[in-house]
C-alpha cells in the first residue's frame, strides 16, 4: 500500500521524514523510490510484494530460441528482472502472431539523464528483434497535475524529450509517439471513459494513495496511462482491432498503473497487458536512491560534456573502495555498493571485461580511480554519440513520429 502522507508532500519533506524514520522497508511507488540499504532496493522482496514473476533462465532461453539472438545484457544481467505474462507474449510469437509495445515518459525536465534511457534502450531492442509496432505516450498532462509547472511548459517538454527518445533509434515506420495534451480524443478517449466508469475512487486510493485533498485530475489520470495498453485506442494503427496484445517495458515503479489496468481490462473485454520491469538506475551518491533530474549532482545528463561527465563521476560516484591504497590492495573493493561498477553493469556490453573488472576490483588489484576511468570513457562515448544523433532530429522529424498514421506491420491471423 502507498503512504498517503508521502504522496502529498514535496520531495524535501519526504527526504526529511525518511531521515527521521530510518527506513526499515524500501519505498517504491510512481513518485518515490527510496531503499533502506545502500545496496539498493531488495528486488526479490519487491517481486513478492507486487506479485509479479522473476525473469529466470527458462524465460531467457525462450527469448534466445525465438529471436535467434543472445538476450540483451539488460535481460542477462537482471537489470530487467521481473515480468507479468511474458510467456503469453512468447507463445504468440511462437505461433507467428504479433503484439505491440507500449512505453512512455513523463516530461518534467529539459535535460533527461542516462537513467531515463534504460526503458527506451530495452524497448528498441525488443522492437528490433520482434519487428513490432511501438506506442510511446508522453504524459505532459500527468506532469502538469503533479508538479508546479505551467501546462504550456509541460507540453513543450513533451516535444523536446521526444527528440531524445527518437535519438535512441526507433524505426519511424513502426513507431507512434503522442502527447496526451495534443492527442487525446476519439477512440482513445472512449476507452479512457470506459476505464473511468469501471474503477472506483476507493480502488485508486488503495493503489496510489490518493486522498480527499488530491486534485481530481490525479484521481482520473491512471485511466489515461492505462488505455494505450488497448489496441482499439489507436484505430489508425490497428484498424479497430480490440485484441492485439500489448507488452509494456517500464521501470517497476510504474507497476501500480498496470496492476489497475490488468484488473479492469477483462471487465471491458480487453486483454491484460504483459509487462517487463526494470530495476532503478542508481544516483551517483549511492543505490539507496535513484538518479533524479531535480538533483543535478546525482545525475549524468544527456547534455553533459565529456569534461562534466569526468568531473561528476570522479567527484560524486559513491565508491566501494577502501580509504587508503594499502587497505584497498589488502581487502579489495565492494562491487555491491560501488556506483561506478553498477553503471558498468548497465553500459559495458562486454561480459568478459566486466567480469574481469569485478574480480580485479574485489581483490584490490584494481583501484577506484582505474574503475572510474573505465566508466568515464564508456559514458563519454555513449553520450557524445547520443548528442550527435539528437542533433539530426529536427522538429519536422518529431512531427512525423507524432502524426497519427498507419504503421508498417501486418497482423497474421
Ligand atoms: N508515468 C510515466 C512517467 O512519469 C510515463 C508513462 C506513461 C509510462 N505511460 C507509460 C512509463 C508506460 C512506462 C510505461 O515517467
Amino acid at each position: 500500500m502507498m503512504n498517503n502522507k508521502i504522496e502529498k508532500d514535496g520531495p524535501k519533506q519526504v527526504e526529511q521524514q525518511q531521515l527521521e524514520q530510518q527506513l526499515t522497508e524500501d519505498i517504491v511507488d510512481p513518485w518515490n523510490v527510496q531503499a533502506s540499504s545502500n545496496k539498493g532496493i531488495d528486488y526479490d522482496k519487491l517481486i513478492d510484494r507486487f506479485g509479479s514473476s522473476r525473469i529466470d533462465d527458462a524465460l531467457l532461453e525462450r527469448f534466445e530460441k525465438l529471436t535467434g539472438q543472445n538476450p540483451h545484457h539488460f535481460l542477462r544481467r537482471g537489470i530487467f528482472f521481473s515480468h507479468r505474462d511474458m510467456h503469453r507474449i512468447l507463445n504468440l510469437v511462437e505461433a507467428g502472431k504479433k503484439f505491440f509495445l507500449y512505453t512512455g515518459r513523463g516530461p518534467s525536465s529539459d535535460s533527461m539523464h542516462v537513467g531515463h534511457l534504460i526503458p527506451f534502450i530495452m524497448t528498441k531492442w525488443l522492437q528490433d528483434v520482434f519487428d513490432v509496432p511501438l506506442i510511446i505516450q508522453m504524459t505532459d498532462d500527468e506532469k502538469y497535475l503533479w508538479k508546479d509547472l505551467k501546462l504550456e511548459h509541460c507540453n513543450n517538454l513533451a516535444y523536446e524529450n521526444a527528440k531524445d527518445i527518437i535519438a535512441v533509434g526507433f524505426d519511424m515506420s513502426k513507431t507512434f509517439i503522442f502527447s496526451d495534451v495534443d492527442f487525446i480524443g476519439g477512440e482513445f478517449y472512449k476507452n479512457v471513459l470506459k476505464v473511468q466508469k469501471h474503477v472506483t475512487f476507493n480502488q485508486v486510493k488503495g493503489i496510489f494513495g490518493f486522498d480527499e485533498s488530491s486534485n481530481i485530475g490525479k484521481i482520473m489520470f491512471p485511466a489515461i496511462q492505462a488505455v494505450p495498453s488497448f489496441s482499439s485506442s489507436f484505430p489508425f494503427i490497428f484498424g479497430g482491432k480490440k485484441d492485439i496484445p500489448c507488452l509494456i517495458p517500464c521501470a517497476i515503479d510504474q507497476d501500480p498503473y498496470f496492476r489497475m489496468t490488468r484488473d479492469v481490462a477483462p471487465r471491458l473485454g480487453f486483454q491484460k497487458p504483459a509487462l517487463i520491469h526494470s530495476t532503478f538506475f542508481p544516483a551517483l551518491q549511492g543505490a539507496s536512491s535513484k538518479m533524479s533530474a531535480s538533483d543535478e549532482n546525482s545525475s549524468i545528463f544527456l547534455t553533459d560534456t565529456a569534461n562534466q561527465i569526468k568531473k561528476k563521476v570522479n567527484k560524486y560516484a559513491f565508491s566501494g573502495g577502501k580509504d587508503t591504497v594499502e587497505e584497498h590492495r589488502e581487502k579489495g573493493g565492494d562491487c555491491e555498493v560501488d556506483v561506478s561498477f553498477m553503471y558498468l553493469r548497465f553500459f559495458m556490453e562486454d561480459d568478459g571485461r566486466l567480469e574481469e573488472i569485478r574480480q580485479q576490483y574485489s581483490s584490490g588489484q584494481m583501484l577506484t580511480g582505474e574503475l572510474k576511468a573505465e566508466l568515464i570513457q564508456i559514458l563519454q562515448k555513449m553520450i557524445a554519440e547520443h548528442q550527435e544523433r539528437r542533433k539530426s532530429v529536427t522538429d519536422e522529424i518529431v512531427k512525423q513520429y507524432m502524426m497519427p498514421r498507419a504503421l508498417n506491420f501486418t497482423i497474421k491471423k
Side-chain angles (χ1 to χ4, degrees):
M1 275 311 100
M2 304 302 147
N3 183 333
N4 288 350
K5 230 181 180 165
I6 286 178
E7 195 267 319
K8 273 192 321 193
D9 293 341
K12 281 274 146 51
Q13 284 132 294
V14 172
E15 233 171 61
Q16 198 50 42
Q17 282 167 10
Q18 284 164 355
L19 283 176
E20 286 162 12
Q21 281 168 7
Q22 281 297 330
L23 277 191
T24 51
E25 200 179 42
D26 299 339
I27 298 177
V28 176
D29 66 48
W31 306 283
N32 298 285
V33 174
Q34 186 73 42
S36 53
S37 139
N38 66 348
K39 291 187 179 153
I41 302 288
D42 183 333
Y43 289 106
D44 284 325
K45 266 199 199 150
L46 208 57
I47 284 180
D48 287 344
R49 246 167 72 197
F50 283 12
S52 59
S53 309
R54 186 161 263 291
I55 294 181
D56 56 12
D57 289 344
L59 187 63
L60 293 186
E61 273 163 35
R62 281 197 85 189
F63 260 108
E64 177 140 19
K65 197 172 139 231
L66 289 168
T67 64
Q69 304 209 26
N70 194 6
H72 192 273
H73 68 272
F74 286 178
L75 289 164
R76 297 198 312 269
R77 296 181 192 161
I79 287 168
F80 275 75
F81 71 107
S82 155
H83 75 100
R84 296 181 187 277
D85 271 348
M86 193 58 217
H87 282 290
R88 178 163 56 85
I89 296 289
L90 293 182
N91 291 345
L92 282 169
V93 173
E94 210 159 37
K97 298 203 178 130
K98 288 275 182 222
F99 63 94
F100 71 98
L101 290 160
Y102 155 42
T103 191
R105 152 131 189 105
S108 64
S109 68
D110 234 334
S111 32
M112 287 171 64
H113 58 60
V114 285
H116 291 137
L117 288 183
I118 304 305
F120 292 106
I121 295 172
M122 184 78 264
T123 303
K124 170 170 163 53
W125 184 82
L126 292 165
Q127 181 180 52
D128 289 348
V129 301
F130 291 112
D131 186 26
V132 287
L134 162 65
I135 310 270
I136 301 175
Q137 177 180 45
M138 305 299 289
T139 54
D140 37 13
D141 51 353
E142 176 191 19
K143 291 300 144 177
Y144 171 66
L145 291 167
W146 261 272
K147 305 238 163 183
D148 186 17
L149 296 171
K150 294 241 156 54
L151 184 50
E152 270 300 295
H153 182 59
C154 297
N155 186 229
N156 288 338
L157 288 178
Y159 290 84
E160 277 311 301
N161 286 188
K163 290 184 180 168
D164 283 293
I165 293 170
I166 291 167
V168 172
F170 298 105
D171 180 342
M172 188 194 284
S173 75
K174 297 183 169 65
T175 304
F176 173 53
I177 307 177
F178 67 98
S179 132
D180 282 344
V181 169
D182 293 320
F183 171 71
I184 291 178
E187 297 304 313
F188 189 102
Y189 187 54
K190 288 182 197 166
N191 284 342
V192 170
L193 286 168
K194 287 178 193 170
V195 172
Q196 287 177 348
K197 189 163 173 172
H198 291 83
V199 179
T200 65
F201 180 38
N202 259 322
Q203 286 170 317
V204 290
K205 250 164 127 170
I207 300 171
F208 299 98
F210 302 144
D211 64 24
E212 278 70 10
S213 66
S214 306
N215 72 53
I216 62 176
K218 290 186 183 181
I219 295 165
M220 70 73 81
F221 175 77
I224 290 177
Q225 184 154 332
V227 308
S229 316
F230 309 139
S231 57
S232 62
S233 303
F234 307 99
F236 46 89
I237 300 174
F238 301 109
K241 282 204 165 44
K242 259 180 96 164
D243 58 352
I244 302 173
C246 172
L247 170 62
I248 306 171
C250 63
I252 190 136
D253 62 332
Q254 297 298 304
D255 190 64
Y257 286 109
F258 302 117
R259 289 204 290 272
M260 185 200 86
T261 309
R262 287 167 55 87
D263 182 65
V264 74
R267 284 184 274 140
L268 302 176
F270 295 135
Q271 296 205 27
K272 295 181 179 190
L275 291 125
I276 55 170
H277 300 120
S278 74
T279 60
F280 302 108
F281 194 79
L284 280 165
Q285 284 74 11
S288 59
S289 55
K290 65 172 179 171
M291 189 171 272
S292 159
S294 48
D295 177 358
E296 266 191 42
N297 295 334
S298 84
S299 296
I300 307 284
F301 293 102
L302 300 179
T303 48
D304 281 349
T305 62
N307 203 25
Q308 283 172 315
I309 294 169
K310 182 174 169 190
K311 276 199 189 142
K312 279 196 227 175
V313 170
N314 281 331
K315 181 159 178 199
Y316 297 115
F318 183 81
S319 167
K322 298 293 181 292
D323 289 343
T324 64
V325 174
E326 294 71 39
E327 197 190 347
H328 187 86
R329 293 271 187 233
E330 190 192 322
K331 297 182 180 154
D334 184 353
C335 287
E336 281 198 52
V337 300
D338 194 287
V339 169
S340 303
F341 185 76
M342 291 178 198
Y343 288 5
L344 283 177
R345 288 188 68 251
F346 279 84
F347 298 125
M348 176 174 259
E349 286 177 26
D350 182 343
D351 289 335
R353 179 67 193 138
L354 184 67
E355 178 53 21
E356 206 170 72
I357 291 175
R358 196 189 60 75
Q359 284 176 13
Q360 292 182 356
Y361 191 62
S362 317
S363 72
Q365 201 184 330
M366 181 180 249
L367 300 175
T368 297
E370 295 164 330
L371 176 73
K372 287 190 171 184
E374 198 116 11
L375 172 67
I376 288 165
Q377 215 181 23
I378 288 182
L379 287 176
Q380 284 174 335
K381 176 162 182 284
M382 186 179 105
I383 289 177
E385 285 169 0
H386 178 88
Q387 290 170 356
E388 216 28 62
R389 287 192 304 268
R390 193 191 193 277
K391 247 192 255 162
S392 64
V393 182
T394 59
D395 291 340
E396 185 50 39
I397 290 177
V398 174
K399 229 190 205 164
Q400 289 174 18
Y401 275 92
M402 299 184 74
M403 180 140 52
R405 65 205 192 281
L407 297 181
N408 172 24
F409 76 105
T410 47
I411 314 156
K412 278 193 219 145
K413 263 281 153 187

